[in-house]
Amino acid sequence: MSDDNRELTTLEKSYLRSFQLRLTLLKWILLLFGATSLVLGLVLPPALIFARQDVSDIQSFTVIATSLFIFATGLLFTGYGLRQSLRPKSKSTQLRGTLLETRIYVRGSAYYRYFINDIQICWPPGAEDIIRPLIGTYVSLRVAMIEIEPHARLNTILSRFSRKTIKRQPSGYGIVLNHQTAINIHKTLKKYGRHYLLLHQIKWVLGLGLWTAFTLFIATRPYIFTTISKPNIFLFLLMLIGYLIASGTTLIIVIKSYQNLRKRLNPQYNETPHEERLKGN
């Protein structure tokens, strides 16, 4: 990290706050899940004791063991939620080093995180094509820093239970503001609006959510259960492939129709690709 710092612009501060809000939301989600698990872990044993119906010793042991596991999980999540505070810096920093990529697998899905030393790099949404050739190379990035101030005592306690997870935690977050001519957050937000990048990300999340909801709606129809129950795996695979093709085609048509509608409603609609917009063009 170098000392050639400068004050953040108003638009860059707004962009930094959006990241801080996201991290704070994640923290409260952890706390809420942890508190819920704690309450559930405490309530299950008394519920078993005061239950009117007779239960076997094995069932009692299973409930108590489950409640202890839920309670311990709640303690861990609560600890992770409380273990650190976020402190954004008012000046930008020139961060230099080798860009590394790590993958985290959750239920078969891969999530990517990027680091320079122990700083986690947060790229703007839609910058995947910019990131890919930079992995493993020496880069220089202008970033807005969010420093993490861990709670020393909580860190010591949590490290006894999940040392690997604690070691994977970054010392701070570097929010990318500039990278050569490929990224210029200030110019992008000035030209396309301070909420442009947020709306760009929400658009894809909303689209994925709608597709998931529609898929679940289709999957819970009675005729689907009837088809699955039949011993004809070929028919089931044919239906699955047909659904994926149909839903993909529908998605493309919806995107094209949306763009055409925007052009008709607003003849001055800007068709500049997102990668060009990240440059501020």
Side-chain angles (χ1 to χ4, degrees), residues 48-162:
L48 176 66
I49 293 171
F50 292 105
R52 295 181 179 178
Q53 57 206 29
D54 295 330
V55 291
S56 66
D57 292 340
I58 295 177
Q59 289 174 324
S60 300
F61 174 78
T62 302
V63 171
I64 292 172
T66 303
S67 64
L68 287 174
F69 174 76
I70 293 173
F71 185 79
T73 302
L75 279 177
L76 280 176
F77 274 91
T78 304
Y80 279 118
L82 295 172
R83 67 176 283 269
Q84 61 190 25
S85 59
L86 305 172
R87 190 165 65 87
K89 298 181 71 174
S90 61
K91 293 184 177 181
S92 68
T93 301
Q94 195 72 27
L95 193 61
R96 298 183 177 94
T98 302
L99 181 67
L100 300 176
E101 178 188 75
T102 62
R103 299 181 186 183
I104 300 174
Y105 293 94
V106 180
R107 295 182 180 179
S109 299
Y111 297 88
Y112 299 91
R113 296 202 299 176
Y114 303 93
F115 290 87
I116 294 179
N117 299 323
D118 59 347
I119 304 294
Q120 183 172 340
I121 306 303
C122 301
W123 297 87
E128 291 78 12
D129 290 339
I130 299 172
I131 302 169
R132 200 171 295 115
L134 300 177
I135 297 170
T137 65
Y138 185 87
V139 296
S140 177
L141 304 171
R142 171 72 61 179
V143 301
M145 284 299 301
I146 298 180
E147 294 183 339
I148 296 175
E149 295 181 346
H151 192 289
R153 185 173 295 180
L154 268 177
N155 258 17
T156 303
I157 295 172
L158 288 170
S159 63
R160 296 174 183 174
F161 299 97
S162 53

Side-chain angles (χ1 to χ4, degrees), residues 215 233-247:
T215 302
I233 189 66
F234 177 76
L235 178 60
F236 174 72
L237 289 174
L238 191 63
M239 288 181 63
L240 180 62
I241 293 170
Y243 171 74
L244 292 175
I245 294 173
S247 61

Side-chain angles (χ1 to χ4, degrees), residues 11-28:
L11 290 172
E12 288 172 342
K13 287 179 181 178
S14 173
Y15 183 59
L16 175 62
R17 281 194 296 269
S18 70
F19 268 93
Q20 185 183 4
L21 177 61
R22 192 183 311 171
L23 293 170
T24 304
L25 262 171
L26 177 61
K27 175 179 178 176
W28 280 104

Side-chain angles (χ1 to χ4, degrees), residues 185-203:
I185 296 300
H186 176 79
K187 288 176 67 176
T188 298
L189 299 182
K190 185 177 181 180
K191 187 169 184 178
Y192 298 103
R194 69 171 60 222
H195 302 301
Y196 166 71
L197 292 172
L198 180 62
L199 292 173
H200 176 83
Q201 197 165 28
I202 289 175
K203 176 178 66 178

